[in-house]
Amino acid sequence: MILIGIALILLAILGAPLFAIIAAGALIGFAGSDIDLMVVPMEIFRVSEIPVLIAIPLFTFAGYLLGESQAPRRLVRMTNVLLGWMPGGLAVVALFVCALFTAFTGASGVTIVAMGALLYPAIASAGYREKFNLGLITTSGSLGLLFAPSLPLILYGIIAGQSVDDLFVAGILPGLLMLLLLSLYCFREGGFVHSRVKRQPFDRRELAAALRESIWEIPLPIIVLGGVYSGFFAVSEAAAVTVVYVFIVEVLIYRDIPLRRLPGVMRDSMVLVGGILIILGVSLASTNYMIDQQVPMRLFEWVTSHISSKLSFLILLNLFLLMLGMMLDIFSALVIVVPLILPIAAGYGIDPIHLGMIFLANMQIGYCTPPVGMNLFIASYRFDKPIILLYRAALPFLAILLLTVLIITYWPWLSLVLVR
Amino acid sequence: MEQTERSLVSRLLRLTVLAEDALLVLILAAMIGLAATQIILRNLFDGAILWADPMLRVSVLWVGMIGAMVATRIDKQISVDAVSRFLPTHLKARVRVATDVFTAFVSGVVAWSALRLVLDDRAAGGTAVAFVPVWACEVILPVAFGVIALRYFLFAIKHMKLSVAEEDVL
């Protein structure tokens, strides 16, 4: 059994698709226990029995539509009028814009590709250091994971059996903390370190023009977040409303996306959904097997016999999740690891909602951690810079994010005060 | 003989490509329409289409599985990309042959089990959504995993040819 496990891990590291690795684990496990293998497709079929899951294709498509439209450009203009006058203003603009965009598109590299193309040249021409610029864009690519309606938040809710509405609310303060600390670093960079950085004076006419231009997009976050936070919409309803609204605004009103491009955008977005759902499906089977074999229970006993305090458990959890975030993308990490650590964490008295915040915040850092964080490669490819330069550029931002993760981990109040 | 077989396979694959793309677009559009209608009915008229919610849930499975078929087609399944990125080119193709064969085999076993499930449920009867029988909802599973298995098998052949060609160069 251990040999099979090692072989599977080796195959995964060599690049075999994760759904096949997980499916193989489940098949071998069930075959070893003399259970009919039909149980595996039966478990995959359970994908069609989870109501909240409808939100995933709908939000993903809405996010792709936004990414294909001129919304990123309008968003940058709007935020720049509002925040650009501050020291380091443009850098702060990048943070807020990326966070909002990632919340709607999921952390799949779309943010770096779509927003980076706009922000990187703008930040460079305003006189910021290149290293600062690259680090900012790279780390901002996964900022916003904690804000509704990000897919990882929804997926965590589904897997952990927690209310997605609660998770949406719980993410607000930890997410804002990240933005705040990173903004302080941007103030320092723009205001004190490099005083030659250009600032844009506040311009009332530009504000009016920007407002007029994005008048149709401004209500979107209010409809989605307001609808969900106030309890007016269920999450899946909010997803449907979002997709219809985004379609009407971007395709019919702004006409940013011609109708003939629509099928292509639909297809591309569903490829991402397919990649996630097939992993979710097979992991329902593997999780079923592991629970059948009482793996979480045994893991829990083993962990508690070695780690006595909640504090040392949390430290180890942080280290483990950081490593995991480097190796696995967030969706696979969620479906594979959450079922295992959830009962252990509960044993140490950690609230499942709080665990979700810890999990996602760590994963977010893993995206930009050398040597194999995904954002680093996307940025290196997108801006045609050597990967080593990106490693160094990301470091100060990583240090700040790490600080936030520690605060989120050891101060549960931040994640729970709005929920419990 | 072999020639006609191959052209039949390639024609079938091309047909699958068309069907996949069309189905993805149609199902997603239908989901959006149905979900929106449901919200309007619920909030404005205090009514609802009874079969809409189960239908939407099954659509998620279908759109997901077809999306996964397309993800395989364009070789974009999610994987750990930590080590293979740093492998020298001449090893890359050989490693790919191994992972492709493995994936094809696993997907094949899932497809076969899914086919048995569909046949069993067909014999047993039972409806999932209002008028649609359970087996018809499940039928996407053997189809999707079957096509995925076939595609990885073809990938394996392609990468085997590549690695042989590279050896000739060396």
Side-chain angles (χ1 to χ4, degrees):
Chain A
M1 210 63 203
I2 292 169
L3 272 179
I4 294 171
I6 293 172
L8 285 181
I9 290 173
L10 193 70
L11 276 164
I13 291 174
L14 287 176
L18 278 167
F19 86 86
I21 304 284
I22 303 169
L27 288 170
I28 295 168
F30 282 122
S33 322
D34 277 332
I35 296 170
D36 193 315
L37 293 185
M38 269 198 306
V39 71
V40 173
M42 275 164 81
E43 287 292 324
I44 300 173
F45 191 68
R46 269 182 46 213
V47 165
S48 69
E49 289 162 8
I50 307 169
V52 204
L53 223 48
I54 297 160
I56 289 186
L58 297 184
F59 273 131
T60 308
F61 176 51
Y64 267 68
L65 275 180
L66 284 172
E68 288 285 318
S69 71
Q70 295 291 316
R73 192 186 54 76
R74 288 189 287 268
L75 185 58
V76 171
R77 182 179 181 191
M78 188 72 221
T79 335
N80 200 17
V81 186
L82 293 173
L83 304 171
W85 52 271
M86 294 189 302
L90 191 61
V92 178
V93 168
L95 293 176
F96 278 81
V97 165
C98 286
L100 192 63
F101 201 69
T102 305
F104 273 89
T105 57
S108 45
V110 186
T111 306
I112 298 180
V113 176
M115 303 307 299
L118 289 168
L119 292 168
Y120 178 74
I123 295 173
S125 68
Y128 289 86
R129 290 178 299 147
E130 188 189 30
K131 222 173 93 178
F132 174 82
N133 191 356
L134 283 172
L136 179 73
I137 301 292
T138 308
T139 38
S140 300
S142 47
L143 206 62
L145 275 186
L146 295 176
F147 292 125
S150 95
L151 292 189
L153 266 181
I154 299 176
L155 207 55
Y156 178 85
I158 291 169
I159 297 164
Q162 297 297 311
S163 138
V164 178
D165 298 38
D166 281 355
L167 283 161
F168 279 4
V169 177
I172 298 176
L173 289 182
L176 284 178
L177 178 72
M178 274 189 189
L179 278 179
L180 178 73
L181 292 185
L182 287 170
S183 297
L184 290 177
Y185 181 63
C186 294
F187 287 151
R188 178 177 164 278
E189 176 77 19
F192 308 107
V193 181
H194 294 269
S195 47
R196 62 196 172 76
V197 166
K198 274 184 268 172
R199 280 191 228 167
Q200 188 181 334
F202 185 75
D203 179 346
R204 208 172 291 178
R205 258 182 305 173
E206 168 69 5
L207 175 65
L211 268 176
R212 211 173 312 123
E213 192 186 39
S214 23
I215 188 79
W216 290 103
E217 278 151 351
I218 295 168
L220 181 62
I222 304 166
I223 294 174
V224 178
L225 305 184
V228 173
Y229 287 154
S230 69
F232 188 76
F233 290 136
V235 174
S236 51
E237 287 179 326
V241 172
T242 304
V243 87
V244 171
Y245 187 85
V246 168
F247 177 81
I248 292 174
V249 169
E250 306 300 341
V251 180
L252 302 181
I253 297 181
Y254 287 118
R255 299 189 186 201
D256 286 345
I257 303 165
L259 277 175
R260 69 189 142 75
R261 285 240 325 270
L262 213 53
V265 180
M266 290 171 108
R267 200 201 74 179
D268 290 349
S269 61
M270 288 309 106
V271 168
L272 175 68
V273 171
I276 298 169
L277 286 188
I278 194 173
I279 291 182
L280 177 67
V282 292
S283 76
L284 289 175
S286 70
T287 304
N288 178 316
Y289 173 72
M290 286 195 286
I291 288 171
D292 198 55
Q293 297 294 307
Q294 299 189 314
V295 174
M297 266 270 289
R298 279 192 238 164
L299 204 61
F300 175 68
E301 275 162 16
W302 186 84
V303 171
T304 40
S305 67
H306 287 80
I307 303 163
S308 51
S309 77
K310 182 175 172 179
L311 191 69
S312 38
F313 171 74
L314 282 174
I315 294 171
L316 284 175
L317 182 67
N318 271 332
L319 288 175
F320 170 69
L321 291 177
L322 281 175
M323 301 260 289
L324 193 74
M326 282 189 264
M327 302 295 290
L328 284 181
D329 75 293
I330 196 158
F331 303 112
S332 327
L334 276 168
V335 297
I336 300 170
V337 178
V338 168
L340 291 177
I341 60 170
L342 198 68
I344 305 178
Y348 284 99
I350 297 163
D351 192 288
I353 299 270
H354 181 211
L355 180 71
M357 297 303 126
I358 299 174
F359 194 97
L360 296 181
N362 275 291
M363 284 290 125
Q364 181 191 330
I365 297 189
Y367 267 104
C368 348
T369 313
V372 286
M374 188 177 80
N375 281 3
L376 296 161
F377 288 99
I378 299 174
S380 157
Y381 176 75
R382 183 70 188 70
F383 303 116
D384 199 19
K385 298 288 172 200
I387 189 84
I388 302 289
L389 176 65
L390 284 162
Y391 288 172
R392 272 185 293 148
L395 280 181
F397 293 91
L398 279 180
I400 295 168
L401 286 176
L402 203 59
L403 177 69
T404 358
V405 165
L406 293 180
I407 297 175
I408 292 171
T409 309
Y410 301 104
W411 195 28
W413 181 88
L414 194 65
S415 310
L416 298 175
V417 66
L418 297 178
V419 188
R420 301 277 184 245
Chain B
M1 183 68 196
E2 204 197 5
Q3 202 58 42
T4 52
E5 250 173 57
R6 197 178 291 164
S7 74
L8 188 71
V9 168
S10 68
R11 222 183 306 159
L12 259 176
L13 278 177
R14 225 174 309 145
L15 205 70
T16 331
V17 168
L18 276 177
E20 282 167 346
D21 286 3
L23 274 176
L24 268 190
V25 172
L26 286 178
I27 297 177
L28 181 60
M31 282 173 77
I32 296 170
L34 197 57
T37 316
Q38 190 77 336
I39 293 173
I40 294 170
L41 286 179
R42 204 168 280 158
N43 289 305
L44 297 185
F45 302 99
D46 242 351
I49 308 169
L50 279 179
W51 49 264
D53 286 345
M55 187 67 118
L56 278 170
R57 290 202 297 269
V58 173
S59 310
V60 173
L61 176 78
W62 276 65
V63 123
M65 292 318 295
I66 300 171
M69 285 158 73
V70 180
T72 304
R73 188 175 92 206
I74 56 179
D75 208 4
K76 275 217 170 141
Q77 285 289 1
I78 297 175
S79 60
V80 178
D81 210 0
V83 172
S84 52
R85 201 194 296 275
F86 300 106
L87 284 177
T89 4
H90 66 276
L91 270 180
K92 241 181 215 166
R94 275 185 235 177
V95 167
R96 267 301 303 253
V97 175
T99 57
D100 286 343
V101 169
F102 164 78
T103 310
F105 180 73
V106 172
S107 310
V109 175
V110 176
W112 174 244
S113 321
L115 183 65
R116 281 173 41 230
L117 177 70
V118 170
L119 294 177
D120 271 20
D121 280 340
R122 193 173 170 190
T127 49
V129 185
F131 42 87
V132 186
V134 175
W135 70 266
C137 299
E138 293 168 342
V139 88
I140 189 65
L141 292 177
V143 172
F145 278 97
V147 169
I148 290 172
L150 183 63
R151 283 195 171 133
Y152 273 100
F153 181 67
L154 295 176
F155 278 149
I157 294 175
K158 187 179 117 191
H159 289 113
M160 201 168 329
K161 280 183 188 157
L162 256 176
S163 73
V164 170
E166 265 161 17
E167 241 162 52
D168 286 348
V169 173
L170 291 173

